[in-house]
Amino acid sequence: MGNYSVDFEYKMIGSEEMLVDEIWDFKSINMGRELEISGEFIYESAKKTMSITGLNNQYEINIILYTGAVGMERLQKIYLCLVLQNPTDKDSIPKCLIEHNHLELEKEIEKYTTKQISKNGKSLLGVFSNYYNNYRYANYIPGKNSSELRKLFISFLKKQNGKFNFDEPCAPIQFEAFKRFYINELGRMARYFFELIKRKARGINISTYEIDSYSNAARVFLSTQRRSLYEQMIIEQNSIKELLLYMYKNKRESGVFRLLNDMESLKMDDELVNDYLSDLCEGKVNDWLIDYVDELYEEMKDVKKRKERKELLRLIGNRSVLFDIDDSEDDEENDENESHRKNMR
């Protein structure tokens, strides 16, 4: 299949000759924004991968590869834009900068650095390029075989275990190794390009690499300085579990706990709770849980009581709501912390 129409056009910025401060703004501010955007895409690719249990759903593979491909392409183009002396000089703009070919972008990048991406990284760039140009809009082509997209993703996952048969049913725990493999390679490659960008930005005295430390991009580029991207996904899930455990174990009477204690809980099926928690940790809400809660709401005969319940639920997790904290409980907690610190000495 041939390439689709190019949906990105490198446009001239301002006049033919940009002023020095305009070039600085373009490389520092514009490319800094692009860096955060690329990080968001890459994070979404990793997060979506964490939530899948197999390769049966084409739409899931599409999201994983689309967000990964877009995020990585933006990273590559950021670096090349920093390398350009004058972004408005048509003659100096490489052809790959106005196309969608990750491997060609990598070839251009290698002209300016002695570092090279790993073999697995280059293979993943090939998958992204293939996907973006041949499968991104494949569903719009009558008769196009949807299984080809699955095979494309498998071609990369096979590098983790070439003997694994993806056509046979497998347990989620068996598939976990492949999720970890993709996410970590994605993270390593993102980190590789980020380091190139940071080094170049520092060399020309611009602040492109200074991103919002609370953004998802920071989790991709900065948190991975001390852990893999897969480990970053795991610590995020563990953080949710630790919060739930704290709420379950501590029967406090202040703050949001007072509201939680006062409200009656809906009846749930204990056997399904762990499934609900699994989805929650993966950043989604279980469909059965949604249908069940919706059904229970419909069964509430007292309309006033149902409305009141929904209003109270709006307070939970609402950043604009400030719950009063019991001073005596705070003092008790501080005493416990002080005692713990003394025992640590």
Side-chain angles (χ1 to χ4, degrees):
M1 186 194 309
N3 289 350
Y4 293 101
S5 58
V6 176
D7 60 4
F8 171 85
E9 181 181 356
Y10 195 88
K11 296 182 179 180
M12 302 295 286
I13 304 173
S15 60
E16 285 297 321
E17 293 185 4
M18 294 181 73
L19 300 175
V20 173
D21 58 343
E22 290 176 326
I23 294 177
W24 191 96
D25 286 347
F26 172 75
K27 291 187 175 185
S28 185
I29 300 175
N30 290 31
M31 292 302 99
R33 291 170 182 157
E34 275 297 301
L35 187 61
E36 291 184 319
I37 293 170
S38 69
E40 291 287 334
F41 275 113
I42 292 167
Y43 179 86
E44 286 303 315
S45 183
K47 185 177 179 181
K48 184 62 179 178
T49 305
M50 287 295 290
S51 70
I52 66 174
T53 56
L55 301 175
N56 298 322
N57 298 322
Q58 188 201 53
Y59 65 86
E60 291 180 326
I61 302 175
N62 259 293
I63 294 299
I64 290 169
L65 293 183
Y66 179 80
T67 50
V70 173
M72 210 58 65
E73 180 188 19
R74 284 175 178 265
L75 271 184
Q76 292 177 296
K77 289 183 175 180
I78 291 169
Y79 179 74
L80 291 177
C81 283
L82 296 187
V83 169
L84 292 174
Q85 291 296 321
N86 185 347
T88 64
D89 183 3
K90 294 181 179 180
D91 296 330
S92 68
I93 298 173
K95 184 180 178 181
C96 61
L97 199 56
I98 60 175
E99 295 178 344
H100 303 286
N101 191 316
H102 298 74
L103 292 176
E104 289 301 315
L105 285 166
E106 177 57 22
K107 287 181 182 178
E108 186 67 24
I109 289 171
E110 288 177 358
K111 295 178 181 179
Y112 302 97
T113 177
T114 57
K115 295 183 176 293
Q116 286 192 336
I117 202 166
S118 68
K119 289 183 179 179
N120 283 340
K122 189 161 289 189
S123 177
L124 186 53
L125 287 180
V127 170
F128 284 155
S129 182
N130 195 342
Y131 165 79
Y132 203 85
N133 290 290
N134 297 317
Y135 296 97
R136 181 173 39 129
Y137 291 132
N139 290 326
Y140 292 94
I141 301 175
K144 184 67 177 175
N145 190 343
S146 61
S147 66
E148 292 182 14
L149 177 61
R150 183 173 180 271
K151 291 178 181 177
L152 175 65
F153 196 29
I154 288 174
S155 70
F156 177 73
L157 298 182
K158 281 285 187 181
K159 294 183 179 299
Q160 200 279 330
N161 185 346
K163 297 180 180 180
F164 191 84
N165 188 353
F166 287 92
D167 294 324
E168 293 290 331
C170 69
I173 190 65
Q174 290 177 287
F175 191 67
E176 196 68 24
F178 297 98
K179 292 162 59 172
R180 182 191 299 111
F181 175 67
Y182 170 75
I183 292 170
N184 280 344
E185 289 300 331
L186 183 72
R188 288 190 191 100
M189 187 158 51
R191 182 71 192 171
Y192 168 79
F193 287 123
F194 176 77
E195 289 298 326
L196 289 182
I197 291 168
K198 183 170 72 171
R199 190 176 299 110
K200 182 61 182 177
R202 284 178 171 175
I204 57 178
N205 197 29
I206 57 176
S207 56
T208 308
Y209 59 93
E210 295 179 359
I211 58 178
D212 180 1
S213 59
Y214 293 102
S215 66
N216 288 332
R219 298 182 183 186
V220 172
F221 302 131
L222 304 182
S223 295
T224 51
Q225 290 179 343
R226 59 184 184 275
R227 62 171 70 101
S228 69
L229 186 54
Y230 178 80
E231 289 172 333
Q232 174 64 28
M233 297 290 114
I234 292 296
I235 193 64
E236 290 180 20
Q237 292 188 355
N238 286 347
S239 299
I240 296 174
K241 296 172 185 177
E242 292 289 358
L243 175 61
L244 291 171
L245 181 61
Y246 173 80
M247 294 172 64
Y248 178 76
K249 288 287 188 179
N250 290 274
K251 307 300 182 182
R252 298 188 177 278
E253 293 295 335
S254 65
V256 71
F257 284 97
R258 183 174 298 161
L259 175 59
L260 294 173
N261 293 337
D262 291 343
M263 290 186 67
E264 292 185 9
S265 65
L266 298 176
K267 293 182 179 180
M268 299 281 178
D269 187 339
D270 290 354
E271 293 182 358
L272 296 176
V273 169
N274 204 41
D275 287 337
Y276 299 158
L277 291 175
S278 177
D279 280 332
L280 176 62
C281 291
E282 292 165 359
K284 60 184 180 181
V285 183
N286 188 283
D287 288 327
W288 292 353
L289 178 59
I290 296 171
D291 293 340
Y292 178 67
V293 170
D294 189 43
E295 183 180 334
L296 289 181
Y297 283 172
E298 291 296 324
E299 292 176 357
M300 289 182 183
K301 303 300 182 182
D302 191 331
V303 177
K304 183 178 179 181
K305 185 177 180 181
R306 179 174 59 188
K307 181 180 179 182
E308 182 183 78
R309 183 179 186 85
K310 290 183 178 180
E311 288 176 349
L312 289 174
L313 289 172
R314 288 194 188 99
L315 303 178
I316 301 172
N318 188 333
R319 296 181 191 278
S320 63
V321 176
L322 181 62
F323 290 97
D324 291 332
I325 303 297
D326 192 337
D327 292 338
S328 62
E329 193 166 292
D330 278 350
D331 293 339
E332 180 183 338
E333 185 174 343
N334 290 333
D335 290 341
E336 290 177 358
N337 291 337
E338 180 62 27
S339 175
H340 177 71
R341 282 194 291 268
K342 288 180 179 179
N343 292 333
M344 291 290 288
R345 291 171 184 169

